[in-house]
Amino acid sequence: MKSWTFNQLRHPGAPLFFLVGNPVNVLQLFKTLHRTRQQVFKNDTRALEAARIKINEEFKSNKSETSPKKIEELIKIGSDVELLLRTSVIQGIHTDHNTLKLVPRKELLIENVPYCDAPTQKQ
């Protein structure tokens, strides 16, 4: 396999593998998933460890993938998982036998609009 320099990768003549499945993009996704895992599961050692193991296993199992289409698909799946974790997961802490205390992160609350019980009339 021919090795490519960084400048060659940025040019239109670079092979598809490096444009789509650029090792830099794969590494960036790997790091982003781990950073998101640390934010989403903060103070939950069991969830942190389970997510770490799962991320590492998925990347190791696809380490030798060479098909550009498959690499593009895997990067898309990884990006979707990161987005899902970042935008949809809320921590819950057991406080009593049947009670959970939800601990949403600030970034999840920014887009919420207060609920109004009494709708206003449109004019």
Side-chain angles (χ1 to χ4, degrees):
M1 178 180 214
K2 182 179 178 184
S3 74
W4 299 85
T5 66
F6 180 72
N7 285 335
Q8 288 172 318
L9 297 177
R10 294 173 49 195
H11 294 292
L16 181 62
F17 167 77
F18 288 107
L19 295 176
V20 173
N22 184 339
V24 173
N25 293 344
V26 174
L27 182 60
Q28 182 179 4
L29 175 61
F30 181 79
K31 288 180 177 182
T32 301
L33 280 165
H34 278 291
R35 280 190 206 105
T36 301
R37 165 189 71 89
Q38 290 172 338
Q39 292 170 355
V40 170
F41 302 119
K42 186 168 66 175
N43 300 325
D44 186 346
T45 54
R46 201 168 104 195
L48 280 167
E49 183 64 13
R52 184 187 68 77
I53 290 170
K54 183 64 174 171
I55 292 167
N56 291 344
E57 282 177 356
E58 290 298 321
F59 274 81
K60 281 181 186 175
S61 69
N62 294 296
K63 183 178 176 180
S64 60
E65 186 60 55
T66 58
S67 165
K69 285 189 183 249
K70 180 68 174 172
I71 292 170
E72 182 179 7
E73 181 183 317
L74 291 168
I75 288 175
K76 174 75 172 115
I77 291 169
S79 297
D80 291 347
V81 167
E82 190 276 333
L83 179 67
L84 185 73
L85 282 172
R86 189 169 26 91
T87 60
S88 302
V89 175
I90 297 177
Q91 280 185 313
I93 301 171
H94 285 278
T95 56
D96 285 329
H97 176 63
N98 289 330
T99 308
L100 279 177
K101 176 184 175 186
L102 298 180
V103 186
R105 295 176 315 283
K106 285 183 182 180
E107 37 309 337
L108 292 178
L109 299 176
I110 290 174
E111 294 182 17
N112 285 346
V113 178
Y115 177 74
C116 179
D117 271 338
T120 57
Q121 295 286 334
K122 290 186 179 180
Q123 295 178 350

